[in-house]
Amino acid sequence: LGVHENTVRNWVAAGTLVSARVPGSTQHRFAREEVLRLQKERGSSASSVAPALRTDGPELITANELNSWAARDDAKTAFPELMRRLLAVTPGISNLQVRAHEGVAASGWDGTATSAGSAYLPVGEMRFEFGTDANPKGKAQSDYDKRALALPADASSVFVFATPRNWAGGSAWASDRAAEEKFSDVKAVDAHTLESWLQESPSVHRWISERLGYRPRDAQTIERWWQAFQGRTTVA
């Protein structure tokens, strides 16, 4: 079916895919005809104006999937790319510089940008630090303390810590740090903020959803199309 195993679990829980629990274990057994039925349904056309009528399970990732992804090894180097893509399609962002993949090992800020103001970022010079650690508060505080030691450099900028983790206390932490007035402002971006941001950035939402094993309906990234095309074509 070409989806993440968590998608299959969600389908089972919702009754979209019928399974039989293997006695004495947490494993599931699926009838071939059930899998073929769902495969056929996923291949049929669906109206993008009535997503609530679909019964084929999740199509785009949410905060929960981002939080689970954060524990994977590739998240540490790929999360900056997600942020770079999000910032690149956000109106009002300019002078964008974000290192990803091999570049994350370099010294300096994880990213910089100029913001004219948006739903997720204030007006000003942005200075980003990214973290996928299981303890986002600890990582955010460590990065904040490190950058504070370099003051007054960047004192007029906005310190932004972004993580794909669920961090319920992120806003409170940011407010406390902003009250110290070491930077012009302090912001925290966690999985739930990213979920809202992604919903307003459909191209990036589809890119990260495909990367995490989902198969969005009605549209796909050119990368996914090219992979499928290469797989069934011999190019001279």
Side-chain angles (χ1 to χ4, degrees):
L1 292 171
V3 298
H4 192 273
E5 62 187 59
N6 287 338
T7 302
V8 177
R9 294 191 181 101
N10 290 335
W11 285 340
V12 171
T16 303
L17 181 60
V18 178
S19 74
R21 183 69 63 86
V22 177
S25 77
T26 60
Q27 304 301 311
H28 293 262
R29 179 180 289 119
F30 301 92
R32 176 180 294 273
E33 55 269 26
E34 261 298 289
V35 177
L36 294 177
R37 175 193 60 77
L38 183 57
Q39 187 179 52
K40 182 179 179 180
E41 289 180 1
R42 285 179 58 78
S44 62
S45 61
S47 171
S48 59
V49 299
L53 298 179
R54 299 179 187 171
T55 59
D56 57 347
E59 299 174 344
L60 296 168
I61 64 159
T62 65
N64 289 335
E65 285 75 44
L66 285 171
N67 185 64
S68 297
W69 175 53
R72 287 172 32 179
D73 291 339
D74 68 308
K76 183 176 181 179
T77 56
F79 177 60
E81 182 181 359
L82 170 61
M83 291 300 302
R84 182 169 64 197
R85 287 174 179 257
L86 265 180
L87 290 164
V89 301
T90 299
I93 297 296
S94 60
N95 303 321
L96 176 61
Q97 294 187 30
V98 174
R99 298 187 305 273
H101 303 289
E102 294 82 0
V104 299
S107 60
W109 291 95
D110 290 338
T112 62
T114 302
S115 171
S118 70
Y120 304 100
L121 295 174
V123 176
E125 294 296 321
M126 304 290 111
R127 298 294 181 266
F128 294 93
E129 291 291 350
F130 306 136
T132 60
D133 303 51
N135 179 13
K137 181 178 180 179
K139 180 64 165 62
Q141 188 65 50
S142 174
D143 287 345
Y144 175 87
D145 292 341
K146 178 178 65 176
R147 298 305 175 192
L149 289 175
L151 295 174
D154 298 309
S156 61
S157 61
V158 179
F159 181 98
V160 183
F161 179 80
T163 176
R165 298 278 185 176
N166 292 329
W167 183 15
S171 295
W173 176 87
S175 295
D176 290 344
R177 301 292 78 73
E180 297 173 358
E181 298 184 347
K182 294 183 178 181
F183 296 89
S184 67
D185 202 356
V186 177
K187 296 294 180 183
V189 175
D190 79 334
H192 290 277
T193 305
L194 289 171
E195 179 183 298
S196 298
W197 200 344
L198 285 167
Q199 289 171 350
E200 297 185 17
S201 311
S203 63
V204 184
H205 204 173
R206 279 163 172 74
W207 173 79
I208 188 62
S209 295
E210 287 182 348
R211 185 182 181 97
L212 299 191
Y214 284 76
R215 185 173 294 179
R217 297 289 289 271
D218 301 333
Q220 61 182 326
T221 62
I222 194 65
E223 292 94 340
R224 173 60 64 87
W225 180 89
W226 178 247
Q227 290 172 1
F229 177 78
Q230 283 184 311
R232 62 177 186 268
T233 306
T234 301
V235 181

